[in-house]
Amino acid sequence: KQEVTQIPAALSVPEGENLVLNCSFTDSAIYNLQWFRQDPGKGLTSLLLIQSSQREQTSGRLNASLDKSSGRSTLYIAASQPGDSATYLCAPPRGYNKLIFGAGTRLAVHP
Amino acid sequence: GAVVSQHPSWVICKSGTSVKIECRSLDFQATTMFWYRQFPKQSLMLMATSNEGSKATYEQGVEKDKFLINHASLTLSTLTVTSAHPEDSSFYICSARDPGSFGGGGYTFGSGTRLTVV
């Protein structure tokens, strides 16, 4: 059974800060891990996907790392902006294709 | 990436009635789709896996007779909440594996349906 924990649960920061969002999972036998953002009342937007053979992936100001052996993934957000305000969710799969979600980190970036 | 369209985006229904939610893959075929439920300030919980041309597989604790899933074509899955009750009020989201995302390993989500049962 895959269980996912995300820390911190909430984060409120001034614009411009570099941020670290943590995700830990119990079943390390995963093929990949995907990070999403969710705006209030909306669906999910895919941010990054890290394959099990990779250690990190980058997209713009976002960088995600993966340490399978320790069951951890970290999402780094550089130079945060108010538009980054959202809930960030990590989702390692259970088995081949069932994504299991953490409770998310609610991020608020204020000007 | 590919687009998954979900309809309606919100619905209000009376207790005891049934509500159907549609999930369509717009520019790709999806033999498998997934249905999630999300309560306020909680995470997404996988309800069931929708399989084209065969029965859906439900997660433990999800009533299959209450949440009817039909995946009659490669681009459409529907979730019907039968005899809805106020406790069924929630945010329902579907997803499918996106063949064009991250080498085919990524998932695309619909925009969700807010169901309110009064």
Side-chain angles (χ1 to χ4, degrees):
Chain A
K1 182 181 178 182
Q2 181 70 277
E3 295 181 358
V4 183
T5 303
Q6 290 190 246
I7 295 173
L11 193 58
S12 180
V13 299
E15 182 176 9
E17 285 203 0
N18 298 326
L19 308 175
V20 178
L21 281 59
N22 297 294
C23 170
S24 61
F25 46 94
T26 55
D27 183 358
S28 61
I30 59 173
Y31 292 91
N32 56 42
L33 183 145
Q34 199 163 354
W35 281 89
F36 297 87
R37 70 173 276 169
Q38 184 178 29
D39 293 284
K42 304 292 185 182
L44 275 64
T45 301
S46 179
L47 298 175
L48 290 162
L49 180 144
I50 313 175
Q51 300 291 353
S52 60
S53 58
Q54 298 173 317
R55 286 192 176 271
E56 63 179 71
Q57 274 288 341
T58 298
S59 176
R61 295 182 293 108
L62 304 179
N63 175 277
S65 67
L66 175 64
D67 184 344
K68 271 187 58 175
S69 60
S70 66
R72 296 173 188 265
S73 179
T74 302
L75 179 68
Y76 302 91
I77 303 176
S80 58
Q81 302 172 357
D84 295 331
S85 299
T87 296
Y88 290 81
L89 299 161
C90 75
R94 186 186 80 214
Y96 179 63
N97 60 6
K98 295 184 178 182
L99 295 185
I100 304 299
F101 286 87
T105 294
R106 293 191 307 280
L107 172 64
V109 181
H110 45 87
Chain B
V3 175
V4 170
S5 175
Q6 191 171 338
H7 180 80
S9 57
W10 62 270
V11 58
I12 301 173
C13 71
K14 291 185 177 180
S15 186
T17 63
S18 296
V19 173
K20 180 184 287 187
I21 302 170
E22 293 187 349
C23 180
R24 293 181 183 274
S25 56
L26 293 188
D27 48 5
F28 67 101
Q29 294 181 337
T31 56
T32 304
M33 291 185 175
F34 304 90
W35 287 95
Y36 292 83
R37 179 168 57 182
Q38 184 178 35
F39 291 107
K41 296 191 176 181
Q42 294 188 25
S43 188
L44 281 75
M45 299 299 296
L46 179 63
M47 298 176 65
T49 302
S50 174
N51 304 298
E52 187 270 333
S54 64
K55 292 182 180 180
T57 54
Y58 290 81
E59 295 299 303
Q60 190 173 8
V62 178
E63 301 175 59
K64 62 180 181 180
D65 293 330
K66 180 167 187 61
F67 298 100
L68 300 179
I69 291 174
N70 184 278
H71 196 151
S73 77
L74 287 171
T75 59
L76 175 63
S77 175
T78 60
L79 169 68
T80 301
V81 183
T82 63
S83 186
H85 290 284
E87 57 265 32
D88 298 324
S89 298
S90 187
F91 192 57
Y92 294 86
I93 313 178
C94 66
S95 78
R97 185 186 292 270
D98 178 358
S101 171
F102 303 113
Y107 289 81
T108 297
F109 283 75
S111 56
T113 297
R114 172 74 58 194
L115 170 64
T116 301
V117 184
V118 298

